Each structure stands twice: as C-alpha cells, then as structure tokens.
Coordinates of all heavy atoms in Angstrom, one line a residue:
Y1 N -28.8 -40.2 123.6 CA -28.6 -39.8 122.2 C -27.1 -39.7 121.9 O -26.3 -39.5 122.9 CB -29.2 -38.4 122.0 CG -30.7 -38.4 122.0 CD1 -31.4 -37.6 122.9 CD2 -31.5 -39.1 121.1 CE1 -32.8 -37.5 122.9 CE2 -32.9 -39.1 121.1 CZ -33.5 -38.3 122.0 OH -34.9 -38.3 122.0
P2 N -26.7 -39.7 120.7 CA -25.3 -39.5 120.3 C -24.9 -38.0 120.7 O -25.8 -37.2 120.8 CB -25.3 -39.7 118.8 CG -26.5 -40.5 118.5 CD -27.5 -40.1 119.5
N3 N -23.6 -37.8 120.8 CA -23.1 -36.5 121.0 C -23.6 -35.8 122.3 O -24.2 -34.7 122.3 CB -23.4 -35.6 119.8 CG -22.8 -36.1 118.5 OD1 -21.7 -36.7 118.6 ND2 -23.4 -35.8 117.4
Q4 N -23.4 -36.5 123.4 CA -23.9 -36.0 124.7 C -22.9 -34.9 125.2 O -21.7 -35.2 125.4 CB -24.0 -37.1 125.8 CG -24.6 -36.6 127.1 CD -24.5 -37.5 128.2 OE1 -23.8 -38.5 128.1 NE2 -25.2 -37.3 129.3
I5 N -23.4 -33.7 125.5 CA -22.7 -32.7 126.2 C -22.7 -33.0 127.7 O -23.6 -32.6 128.4 CB -23.2 -31.3 125.9 CG1 -23.4 -31.1 124.4 CG2 -22.4 -30.2 126.5 CD1 -22.1 -31.1 123.6
N6 N -21.7 -33.7 128.2 CA -21.7 -34.3 129.5 C -20.5 -33.6 130.3 O -19.4 -33.8 130.0 CB -21.6 -35.8 129.5 CG -21.8 -36.4 130.8 OD1 -21.6 -35.8 131.9 ND2 -22.2 -37.7 130.8
N7 N -20.9 -32.9 131.4 CA -19.8 -32.2 132.1 C -18.8 -33.2 132.8 O -17.7 -32.7 133.1 CB -20.4 -31.4 133.3 CG -21.1 -30.1 132.7 OD1 -21.5 -30.1 131.6 ND2 -21.3 -29.2 133.6
V8 N -19.1 -34.5 132.9 CA -18.1 -35.4 133.5 C -16.9 -35.6 132.6 O -15.9 -36.0 133.1 CB -18.8 -36.7 133.8 CG1 -18.9 -37.6 132.6 CG2 -18.1 -37.5 134.9
L9 N -17.0 -35.1 131.4 CA -15.9 -35.2 130.5 C -14.9 -34.0 130.8 O -13.8 -34.0 130.3 CB -16.3 -35.0 129.0 CG -17.2 -36.1 128.4 CD1 -17.7 -35.6 127.1 CD2 -16.3 -37.3 128.2
G10 N -15.3 -33.1 131.6 CA -14.5 -31.9 131.9 C -14.0 -31.8 133.3 O -12.8 -31.9 133.6
F11 N -14.9 -31.6 134.3 CA -14.4 -31.1 135.6 C -13.5 -32.1 136.3 O -12.5 -31.6 136.9 CB -15.6 -30.8 136.5 CG -16.5 -32.0 136.9 CD1 -16.1 -32.8 138.0 CD2 -17.6 -32.3 136.2 CE1 -16.9 -33.8 138.4 CE2 -18.4 -33.4 136.6 CZ -18.0 -34.2 137.7
P12 N -13.6 -33.4 136.2 CA -12.6 -34.2 136.9 C -11.2 -34.0 136.4 O -10.2 -33.9 137.1 CB -13.1 -35.7 136.7 CG -14.5 -35.5 136.3 CD -14.6 -34.2 135.6
Y13 N -11.1 -34.0 135.1 CA -9.8 -33.9 134.4 C -9.2 -32.5 134.5 O -8.0 -32.3 134.5 CB -10.0 -34.4 133.0 CG -10.7 -35.7 132.9 CD1 -12.0 -35.8 132.4 CD2 -10.1 -36.9 133.4 CE1 -12.7 -37.0 132.3 CE2 -10.8 -38.1 133.4 CZ -12.1 -38.1 132.8 OH -12.8 -39.3 132.8
I14 N -10.0 -31.5 134.4 CA -9.6 -30.1 134.5 C -8.9 -29.9 135.9 O -7.8 -29.3 136.0 CB -10.7 -29.1 134.2 CG1 -11.1 -29.2 132.8 CG2 -10.3 -27.7 134.6 CD1 -12.4 -28.6 132.5
F15 N -9.7 -30.3 136.9 CA -9.1 -30.2 138.3 C -7.9 -31.1 138.5 O -6.9 -30.7 139.2 CB -10.2 -30.6 139.3 CG -11.0 -29.4 139.8 CD1 -12.2 -29.1 139.3 CD2 -10.4 -28.5 140.8 CE1 -12.9 -28.0 139.8 CE2 -11.1 -27.4 141.2 CZ -12.4 -27.2 140.7
R16 N -7.8 -32.3 137.8 CA -6.7 -33.1 138.0 C -5.4 -32.4 137.5 O -4.4 -32.4 138.1 CB -6.9 -34.4 137.2 CG -5.8 -35.4 137.1 CD -5.6 -36.2 138.4 NE -4.9 -35.5 139.4 CZ -5.0 -35.8 140.7 NH1 -5.9 -36.6 141.1 NH2 -4.3 -35.1 141.6
G17 N -5.5 -31.8 136.3 CA -4.4 -31.1 135.8 C -4.0 -29.8 136.6 O -2.9 -29.6 136.9
A18 N -5.1 -29.1 137.1 CA -4.8 -27.9 137.9 C -4.2 -28.3 139.2 O -3.2 -27.6 139.7 CB -6.1 -27.2 138.1
L19 N -4.6 -29.3 139.9 CA -4.1 -29.8 141.2 C -2.6 -30.2 141.0 O -1.8 -29.9 141.8 CB -4.9 -30.9 141.8 CG -6.3 -30.6 142.3 CD1 -7.0 -31.8 142.7 CD2 -6.3 -29.6 143.4
D20 N -2.3 -30.9 139.9 CA -1.0 -31.5 139.8 C 0.1 -30.5 139.5 O 1.3 -30.8 139.7 CB -1.0 -32.6 138.6 CG -1.8 -33.8 139.1 OD1 -2.0 -34.0 140.3 OD2 -2.2 -34.6 138.2
V21 N -0.3 -29.3 139.0 CA 0.7 -28.2 138.9 C 0.5 -27.1 140.0 O 1.1 -26.1 140.0 CB 0.7 -27.6 137.5 CG1 1.1 -28.6 136.4 CG2 -0.7 -27.0 137.2
R22 N -0.4 -27.4 140.9 CA -0.7 -26.5 142.0 C -1.1 -25.1 141.4 O -0.6 -24.1 141.9 CB 0.4 -26.4 143.0 CG 0.7 -27.7 143.7 CD 1.8 -27.5 144.8 NE 2.2 -28.9 145.3 CZ 3.2 -29.1 146.0 NH1 4.0 -28.1 146.4 NH2 3.5 -30.3 146.4
A23 N -2.0 -25.1 140.5 CA -2.4 -23.9 139.8 C -3.1 -23.0 140.8 O -3.9 -23.4 141.7 CB -3.3 -24.2 138.6
S24 N -2.9 -21.7 140.7 CA -3.6 -20.7 141.5 C -5.0 -20.4 141.0 O -5.8 -19.9 141.8 CB -2.8 -19.4 141.6 OG -2.6 -18.9 140.3
R25 N -5.3 -20.7 139.8 CA -6.6 -20.5 139.2 C -6.8 -21.4 138.0 O -5.8 -21.9 137.4 CB -6.9 -19.0 138.9 CG -5.9 -18.5 137.8 CD -6.2 -17.0 137.6 NE -5.9 -16.2 138.8 CZ -6.9 -15.6 139.5 NH1 -8.1 -15.6 139.0 NH2 -6.6 -14.9 140.6

C-alpha cells in the first residue's frame, strides 16, 4: 500500500548519525 510506515527508513540512518559523532545516547 502507499505510505508504508517502515522502520527501515529509520534505524539504519539514526545509528549511522549517532555512530559517526560517537553519541553517548
């Protein structure tokens, strides 16, 4: 269906940004 709420849009990229600045949380 259109407008899929798909978590793959989030977790890979959120962790990518967090890892690259060595975020504590």
Side-chain angles (χ1 to χ4, degrees):
Y1 290 121
N3 300 328
Q4 184 193 14
I5 308 298
N6 189 334
N7 285 23
V8 80
L9 294 170
F11 68 85
Y13 311 110
I14 292 163
F15 268 100
R16 178 76 276 155
L19 291 174
D20 289 341
V21 295
R22 298 183 190 169
S24 58
R25 62 183 60 245

